[in-house]
Amino acid sequence: MKINPKEAHQIITSLEGGVVPKRGIHHLLVGRKQEVEEIISILQHVAQGQSDIRFWAGDFGSGKSFILQTIDTFALEKDFVVSTIDLSPNRAFYSSTGKARTLYREIMNQLHIKTCQDRSCLEILLQKWIAQLSQESRDNLEPVVFGTCRRIEETFDTFKIPLMAYDFGKAVSLYAQGMLANDREQKIGALRWLRGEIDTKTESKKLLGISTIITDMNWYDALKTFCEFVVKVGYAGLVVNFDELVNLYKIPRSQTRANNYEVILNMYNECKTNMISHMFLNFGATRKTVYDMYRGLSSYKALAGRLGTEQKDQSLINTNRTVLGLKPLTPAEIYTLLEHLIEIYNANYHTDLNVSPSEIEHYMEEQLNRPGADEFLTPRTVIKDFLELLDLKRQNPALSFDDLIRSKFNGRAVVRDADDHDDIEVF
């Protein structure tokens, strides 16, 4: 495994915090061969003009966030614009109190591309396209600002949602004028409109001369328009990953849940019928969030028929399903993952910890023998516990890894004295 210390540091820091790392995910990719092949296949089809939607279902800590970050990584490699976000009590697909617009804002704020992964790339996309259009104007001996804005207008005239495309295009045109005239205030105003940060039509009209704004009701139209835009800029399409779909399941009012599920149904229908092109939507959800007939997605009858029934046998994988259940990792796969973790850990701390195969097996046996392991043991738990043991080994080199395992799982610490005499058991 070739891994640089900076990448290793990000991986270890993220995993110790219980979150999925945004870089180096391929170093941890174990036991998901069929899922990865399906992701790559979907991305190829979406790049050719199709669209798709998938739900990745599993229990807490089973790898939902991991698979969404894997999609994120592969999509960047395939030259997509990507946004991966968490749903929360303040972000929803349907709202009359600003939660849907907050969701849209977060999507735009988390946009990234292969060459810009640490901040929103919206301004980079705009600048790249405007620079290209302005050069075309110069080549045709046109006034630069006039020629650039004319090309922007002509492009947005071809988009599928005319009303949204007109205002979206006008905001892009105003950004172009600000960029070419070095007018910082106009650029900021246009960016605020495109990100859904302008709160009232009055402010929008006064600031930009645009009489509409992005709202709870039209945010998805804005997202689809943006998808068309990124393709015009030269990217393969737009991938949006929504994690923590369980936050919709937790909404107390049934009608509010139904309204949110209706938006997801609309997304499903448009993606599966290619009404929108070059878009790939993914959702990370617990099985209950998908299949519960009282509160979950399946409580909305139109969605229930489309999502199908739960596949009980988790050892079987059918990648053609819209809802893909994440099967637990096998002991052999967990073993391989832990071997990779040791290498990453050593690269991060510049150490040479050596954990033998028998010690890794001992650790796995203790994890699998814990009460309730069949139901509650997840990759997140296995990784966090193992990293904790590596920390203890690094900081207590006199102790063997087996000593540390016994201490953790049996509540008995083993300490060696300075002269390496007999072990002292501390109960």
Side-chain angles (χ1 to χ4, degrees), residues 64-111:
K64 300 183 299 298
S65 299
F66 180 86
I67 205 74
L68 292 182
Q69 191 58 49
T70 300
I71 294 169
D72 189 305
T73 299
F74 280 101
L76 292 177
E77 291 297 322
K78 298 290 184 182
D79 213 22
F80 281 83
V81 177
V82 186
S83 186
T84 298
I85 65 168
D86 290 343
L87 293 174
S88 72
N90 295 321
R91 301 171 194 155
F93 295 102
Y94 177 92
S95 173
S96 59
T97 59
K99 293 180 180 180
R101 187 161 67 97
T102 299
L103 176 68
Y104 172 83
R105 285 203 302 265
E106 185 65 12
I107 293 171
M108 301 303 283
N109 287 332
Q110 295 300 325
L111 290 171

Side-chain angles (χ1 to χ4, degrees), residues 251-261 294-295 299-300:
I251 294 174
R253 293 187 68 249
S254 60
Q255 186 57 53
T256 305
R257 289 197 306 273
N259 290 336
N260 276 273
Y261 295 161
Y294 298 98
R295 296 177 65 97
S299 66
Y300 197 77

